[in-house]
Amino acid sequence: MEQPHPASAPRMALDLVEMGDGQAGSYGSQERVSNYLPPEVNSKMLYQDVVRIAWPSMVELTLTQLASMVDLMMVGQLGPWALSAVGLTTQPKFLFMTMIMAMNVGATAMVARYKGAGEPEKANAVLRQAFLLTLAVSIITSIAGFFACEPMVRFMGAADAQSLAGGTVYLQIQTAGFVFLALTSTITATLRGVGNSRTAMVYNLTANVVNVIFNYLLIYGHFGFPRLEVAGASLATVLGQLVAFLLAMGAVCSGKSYLHLRLHDNWRPNKEHLLNIWNIGAPAMVEQLVMRTGMIIYAKTVASLGTVAFATHQVCMNIQALSFMNGQAFAVSATSLVGQSLGKKRPDMAQAYSRRTRRIGMVISILLGLVFFLFGKPIVALYSDEAAVISTGAQILMLVALIQPFQSSQFILAGALRGAGDTRATAVIIFLTTLIVRPGLALLTVNVFHWGLWGAWIALVADQLLRSFLVLLRYNSGKWKQIRIQ
């Protein structure tokens, strides 16, 4: 029997509709499913549900990225070599997270479906299975990754000994704390699946505060702390991740939330749940591996342009990542609401939610684009006082501004597809755009046409535009409505 909503949690529009049979025909024609709402709900209620889930994620993700930006700004005061050193570790860190992120996609989709179907026991069983899976994978990855740090940073294209040494120690510290990051990400993914984004917001924001404080203390050696420079920035990040893990565990072990972990529950491996996590997560893992491979080729191509060019690139990527937060926050809403709607066998509600989610994200993306277009130079100047970095970076941010609406749409609709368990289609799209289009065009524009950093960013824009178009095509096909999870 489904647990009652906490008194502080308002009922969703989805709670007011009857359980359907999952067929579009049950609600009339396909046109009706697309354009009309059930009589029990109105558009305002749907927008409220979208914002209720998205705003904590928006606050959390935005402030997390701002903390990352402050981190890089502090590191940037050490010189371009330090920016380059940290930048060289970005793709290896994401590579370590590949399987964790993929399995989290499966866990999110499953707990959303079970929440919508009113089966809290199964939702909590999925959390336990995902937790055990993440624990095992993260321990193995942490040990293996620690000894591979220097070769990976060298492979990424470290242009000088200082960047190589700094990047290696930064990555080694990150791998030492990898288990905390991985387990926290799994708890966060499942909480978001049931629409609880506030809890993750609280513990991740607390972690960001810890990170920024220790950045100040450890990078420069203030208040008697040792001056550790790049190593200090990495250690501060890991300390923040440890705090987030402890708070996340406290949240799910308290027994007060829909999802909870208890020692006396059944922790034995469950073949059905693990198979469902794998079936949904495996395409996402292929997607992540393909994406990382393409991004590594792309990053190595940019690194070949030299330390200053790569430092400029790293600054622009860091600023662009702030714009991801809009799409990712509303993608959380899309994933949760689409998954819960399909769990209740209401594809009409799934489509109604995803359309409104996309509209809100689009408005915010246009505003972000205007900020990047008009204030690019002062934003880049926060990272470095190098004239070449500021000038080129500001020009690149104009490109970033132009792709904002497409980028937002892509994130949100991909989130809706993942909420439906439609991960194979997104894997194919990522293969085409990130492994072929972006690195292929970058190699062509940088090495053949000699367009420098501009060529690399033209390749990135082409990737984003094509990916947005293909994700939209897949979503409009409606095939995601027929996917079944046992």
Side-chain angles (χ1 to χ4, degrees), residues 49-278:
D49 288 344
V50 169
V51 173
R52 187 179 301 124
I53 295 175
W55 80 257
S57 294
M58 174 72 86
V59 172
E60 172 206 339
L61 293 169
T62 300
L63 293 183
T64 296
Q65 183 56 30
L66 286 173
S68 173
M69 294 169 75
V70 170
D71 193 351
L72 202 61
M73 290 172 192
M74 291 181 175
V75 168
Q77 303 311 308
L78 300 172
W81 72 268
L83 287 171
S84 181
V86 174
L88 290 167
T89 69
T90 301
Q91 294 311 316
K93 285 190 297 182
F94 277 119
L95 187 63
F96 293 152
M97 278 293 290
T98 295
M99 186 171 181
I100 305 297
M101 293 168 67
M103 296 303 105
N104 285 348
V105 170
T108 300
M110 288 177 63
V111 297
R113 285 285 183 105
Y114 291 139
K115 173 69 159 54
E119 298 182 281
E121 298 85 1
K122 288 187 176 181
N124 279 284
V126 170
L127 170 60
R128 293 193 296 273
Q129 298 298 307
F131 188 90
L132 290 174
L133 185 60
T134 296
L135 179 62
V137 171
S138 62
I139 290 174
I140 295 170
T141 303
S142 179
I143 295 172
F146 184 86
F147 296 102
C149 288
E150 182 174 352
M152 293 187 79
V153 175
R154 190 186 302 276
F155 175 77
M156 287 304 301
D160 54 76
Q162 198 173 20
S163 296
L164 175 62
T168 298
V169 71
Y170 187 95
L171 191 56
Q172 285 175 334
I173 294 170
Q174 292 292 295
T175 57
F178 180 70
V179 175
F180 304 126
L181 171 64
L183 290 173
T184 305
S185 74
T186 296
I187 294 172
T188 300
T190 51
L191 287 174
R192 288 174 176 166
V194 298
N196 181 0
S197 50
R198 291 192 183 190
T199 301
M201 177 188 72
V202 172
Y203 61 67
N204 281 321
L205 291 187
T206 305
N208 290 334
V209 173
V210 172
N211 182 13
V212 171
I213 290 173
F214 279 96
N215 272 339
Y216 180 76
L217 297 175
L218 296 175
I219 293 176
Y220 307 115
H222 292 297
F223 296 106
F225 283 82
R227 180 185 173 94
L228 301 178
E229 298 189 344
V230 169
S234 188
L235 183 57
T237 300
V238 171
L239 289 173
Q241 291 167 353
L242 173 59
V243 169
F245 169 71
L246 294 174
L247 294 176
M249 286 296 293
V252 294
C253 290
S254 67
K256 297 178 181 179
S257 62
Y258 185 91
L259 292 179
H260 47 263
L261 293 175
R262 291 191 285 243
L263 287 177
H264 63 264
D265 287 332
N266 182 8
W267 286 83
R268 288 177 297 178
N270 182 293
K271 181 179 178 181
E272 178 184 342
H273 291 321
L274 289 174
L275 188 61
N276 276 331
I277 291 175
W278 173 256

Side-chain angles (χ1 to χ4, degrees), residues 297-318:
I297 296 171
Y298 178 72
K300 279 176 61 65
T301 303
V302 178
S304 69
L305 295 171
T307 299
V308 174
F310 190 70
T312 305
H313 173 74
Q314 182 61 22
V315 167
C316 292
M317 291 291 285
N318 192 249

